[in-house]
Amino acid sequence: LVAGVAACGGSSADGGKYVPPTGKVVDSVTVESGNLYFKPKNVATKAGNVRITLSNVETGSHTFVIQGVPKFELQVNGKGSKDTNVVALKSGNYTFYCTLPGHRSAGMQGEIVVE
């Protein structure tokens, strides 16, 4: 049944990859990832389309997801790797974290405050 719905043109919101918003980018933010940390842990930005870049400054692999923003994920693998994408954020507070096992509980999380 699921394959039949997909084949019949189900909406793009119910599967697949993250689709970034279109329109003007109001701010750009860079977060560094290292061995079990994000820097900065607290990020302030404006409401609207925000470009977020994850920059890995140490070895290892990490992800960056924002709680409440389905399918948005940045991923880095190895020192010097970067990933970037745009996300639409409304005013409020958002938790971001690394999804790799044990990373979030070891401290790889932070907060985005959107004004």
Side-chain angles (χ1 to χ4, degrees):
L1 179 63
V2 173
V5 170
C8 292
S11 77
S12 62
D14 57 346
K17 296 174 27 172
Y18 174 76
V19 178
T22 58
K24 180 182 175 185
V25 173
V26 298
D27 198 12
S28 294
V29 172
T30 298
V31 176
E32 294 179 346
S33 60
N35 293 331
L36 301 179
Y37 69 85
F38 283 123
K39 183 180 178 182
K41 285 181 103 44
N42 297 301
V43 177
T45 190
K46 303 173 192 174
N49 292 342
V50 178
R51 176 175 286 109
I52 299 178
T53 300
L54 181 62
S55 178
N56 204 17
V57 297
E58 294 182 349
T59 60
S61 297
H62 303 289
T63 64
F64 180 101
V65 299
I66 302 172
Q67 193 168 319
V69 181
K71 301 178 192 164
F72 180 86
E73 179 177 277
L74 302 176
Q75 184 173 359
V76 291
N77 298 297
K79 186 175 183 175
S81 68
K82 293 182 179 186
D83 195 8
T84 188
N85 212 333
V86 177
V87 61
L89 297 174
K90 296 179 181 178
S91 294
N93 295 5
Y94 299 83
T95 299
F96 64 87
Y97 59 95
C98 180
T99 61
L100 297 180
H103 287 207
R104 185 177 186 183
S105 62
M108 286 197 79
Q109 71 175 19
E111 184 176 53
I112 301 171
V113 177
V114 181
E115 298 175 5

